Amino acid sequence: TAAILLHYGCLLLSAVITYQMAQRFAPGASPALAVALVLTVPTVVWEASTAYIDLFMMLFITLSFYALMRYIDGQRRQWLLLAALNLGFALASKHLALFALILFCPGLLLALWQRKVPWRRALLTVTAFGALSLLLALPWYLRSYLATGNPVFETMWAFFGAPPERWNAQTDASLRRFLLIFGRPRTLL
């Protein structure tokens, strides 16, 4: 019960940050509507009722995005550091946060370029942001690699491989059955 409440708390904190972002960065938009859109996504509502990590990842990515936006506005280093730390926490929570890293780095570079920041400084800033984020998550990827031979275990086991005592046909079939409960099978439709 405590774990579920903690996970649910991440949803509430994400709602507060969403409200703040809408109010600060989208002056014509309704912050209440932005929060309502976040809170009514069926998967998000379902996740809030479980003891899992997805809403922690959502909170950390939201905080990272907010801090990046604040950094872009004033280019004060503490916002960049806060953005990198939160993205690092997201990466340490779940490797799917790598998608946020993949989006944030070019986005930050583009935003700095639009603000006429010299290319060298912009590239150094983006590199520092990405490296610090990954550095924070490195112990978890290293632990997973040492235990399984796969830094992102249990996904991508077919690419990295995994010890048979950790991954076999039965565990693969269990994962596939679990993934099938989310929508239709992986087809174009």
Side-chain angles (χ1 to χ4, degrees), residues 94-157:
K94 198 166 187 177
H95 66 272
L96 289 175
L98 285 167
F99 288 109
L101 180 69
I102 290 167
L103 293 172
F104 286 1
C105 285
L108 177 58
L109 188 63
L110 181 62
L112 293 174
W113 177 72
Q114 287 178 330
R115 284 172 174 64
K116 309 291 187 224
V117 173
W119 272 106
R120 186 174 181 182
R121 184 171 153 229
L123 217 50
L124 186 60
T125 299
V126 171
T127 303
F129 167 73
L132 183 56
S133 298
L134 287 169
L135 188 62
L136 192 61
L138 184 63
W140 282 269
Y141 293 134
L142 184 59
R143 180 201 169 277
S144 185
Y145 177 77
L146 292 174
T148 68
N150 178 351
V152 292
F153 186 82
E154 81 276 350
T155 59
M156 298 184 72
W157 66 272

Side-chain angles (χ1 to χ4, degrees), residues 54-129:
D54 285 352
L55 296 184
F56 282 97
M57 183 181 68
M58 181 176 90
L59 173 63
F60 293 136
I61 288 173
T62 305
L63 287 168
S64 181
F65 183 72
Y66 178 77
L68 274 179
M69 296 295 288
R70 293 292 305 263
Y71 173 75
I72 291 166
D73 269 356
Q75 294 184 22
R76 293 194 339 228
R77 287 189 189 147
Q78 65 264 30
W79 286 112
L80 186 65
L81 178 63
L82 191 59
L85 289 175
N86 276 290
L87 189 56
F89 292 144
L91 289 164
S93 299
K94 198 166 187 177
H95 66 272
L96 289 175
L98 285 167
F99 288 109
L101 180 69
I102 290 167
L103 293 172
F104 286 1
C105 285
L108 177 58
L109 188 63
L110 181 62
L112 293 174
W113 177 72
Q114 287 178 330
R115 284 172 174 64
K116 309 291 187 224
V117 173
W119 272 106
R120 186 174 181 182
R121 184 171 153 229
L123 217 50
L124 186 60
T125 299
V126 171
T127 303
F129 167 73

